[in-house]
Amino acid sequence: MSWLVTGTGAVASIGSDTDEIYESLVAGRSGLAGLRGYDRSKFRAQVAYEIDDRPAPGVDEPLRATRWLERAVEVAAREAGLGDDLSSVPVLVGTTLRELRSVELSWRDGTPVEVADLHFGTMLRRRFGAADTHTVANACSASLYALALATDLLDLGQADTVVVAGVDTISESTYGLLDRCYPEAPDRVRPFDRARRGMLQGEGAVAVVLRREADGPGPGATVRARVRGVAVNCDAYHPSAPEAKNIAAAVREAHRRAGVGSADIDLVMLHGTGTPLNDEAESAALGSVFAGVEPSPYMTAIKSMTGHTAGASGLHSLVAAVDVMRRGSVPPIVGLDDPVESVAGFRLVRGQAVRPDEELRIAQIDSFGFGGLNAVAIVERYAGDDAYAGHGAAAGHDAHAGHDTYAGDDAGAGHDTYAGDEAHAGHDTYAGDDADGGNGVVAGQEEGR
């Protein structure tokens, strides 16, 4: 089973739509700036990746996350030919903080906020007539968890179209909490660099429209990509620290569901938060999964420019991957000047964007959250998309030619029902997977350093 992406919409600190975000990523433009909405004297860190849409410097306002979500859903739905009527379309929203910043402003400053407006479903019903809305609060992997749930709904015939979204804003309390977690205040997000100091938050929203491939894209829609498989697990290994073995298990399960092998992956969108524990666990997991694959897939980490957009980050990386495969340039990891030893074998994009001669067809998107919430998606460039015109496949890439047959794609048959909003039990069985046969990195890829 596979699913078509027929619409995308996004906003982040580096752009107000998917085109502007892609162009910023390829240019290496970062959204990092001085804190705009808070009293800087209260924090060691002084910067973040905020969306600059407040009415005035130092003045904050409620419901910014809801506003971004509305914009992302509107654009994605319009691209998919749905217009403004989502009355028969489930909408799944992944988030970490929801409208916590609005609660802070209401409690501390007395800013008027209606309690009903703290739930995204209120806006979705009012703006789009959406009657079936769900919020998935699975930390920083929330939007890819929502994507997995959407594939279940489609597989089970409970919907023919699903809108999947992610959104998060920075709250003052969360910024303060993270400000006290690191020995030194982070100055930027530096994934896999020896000078990394930790994670900094970003803001944004993102939405995609998903349909069963067997049903076609629907009237007025253009297919942007194909989702081949999504895998999730929750190992509860530690409240905040990731565990390499179970990240590797999620990656392997995503490959199995997609009917691909590690050698088929052309691009990896790394979770890449710039924290020592994430960098070590992700690099160990990928070193295991891609051991023997030479050269390794191209790898990049967009949080180096967007910051960590939390519940939106997985889908932000997915939408970026779709545009990378369609348009051909892979963004760099900004600030990666001195890579840690554990990524020595990876083909990391550094310095500036690269435009490979070979066609990029299959992308892996990593998204990991506190509590051992791991999610991995496999996305394929849609064969009918001519945005990649002029990029012939390089020798050795013929292995991808048969991907449209989806042999073995019945692996998705273990998805459980969505009843009661607590389903997807079929996606959480990998915590005990000990297939991680070692944590070595891929050898011989010094050019990736």
Side-chain angles (χ1 to χ4, degrees), residues 19 50 107 210 217 293 337 342 366 378 380 396 418 432-433:
D19 284 341
E50 298 172 278
W107 178 80
L210 208 63
V293 177
D337 301 321
S342 62
D366 292 352
I378 305 298
E380 182 178 27
Y418 194 76
D433 192 330

Side-chain angles (χ1 to χ4, degrees), residues 318-333:
L318 186 147
V319 168
V322 169
D323 282 333
V324 167
M325 291 189 291
R326 293 179 69 243
R327 300 171 68 171
S329 293
V330 185
I333 304 175

Side-chain angles (χ1 to χ4, degrees), residues 143-163:
S143 57
L144 287 196
Y145 260 80
L147 184 72
L149 291 169
T151 65
D152 282 353
L153 282 175
L154 294 168
D155 284 356
L156 293 166
Q158 296 190 16
D160 56 24
T161 304
V162 181
V163 174

Side-chain angles (χ1 to χ4, degrees), residues 146-275:
L147 184 72
L149 291 169
T151 65
D152 282 353
L153 282 175
L154 294 168
D155 284 356
L156 293 166
Q158 296 190 16
D160 56 24
T161 304
V162 181
V163 174
V164 187
V167 63
D168 259 312
T169 186
I170 301 172
S171 74
E172 195 165 358
S173 56
T174 308
Y175 190 89
L177 181 152
L178 293 171
D179 190 49
R180 287 155 178 79
C181 284
Y182 306 115
E184 292 183 86
D187 59 345
R188 65 189 305 168
V189 177
R190 299 174 179 267
F192 306 102
D193 191 89
R194 295 179 195 273
R196 65 201 167 190
R197 296 185 189 173
M199 183 266 286
L200 284 167
Q201 291 173 279
E203 296 182 319
V206 57
V208 302
V209 177
L210 208 63
R211 284 180 59 87
R212 276 189 303 270
E213 181 159 20
D215 295 338
T222 300
V223 178
R224 297 181 66 86
R226 176 187 285 115
V227 175
R228 293 285 299 272
V230 188
V232 301
N233 65 29
C234 179
D235 58 40
Y237 169 76
H238 186 274
S240 59
E243 209 273 339
K245 180 179 71 173
N246 292 313
I247 290 175
V251 173
R252 290 190 172 100
E253 179 62 16
H255 291 181
R256 184 187 73 81
R257 288 175 178 267
V260 301
S262 56
D264 297 317
I265 305 298
D266 300 308
L267 172 70
V268 177
M269 304 298 289
L270 297 160
H271 186 57
T273 61
T275 65

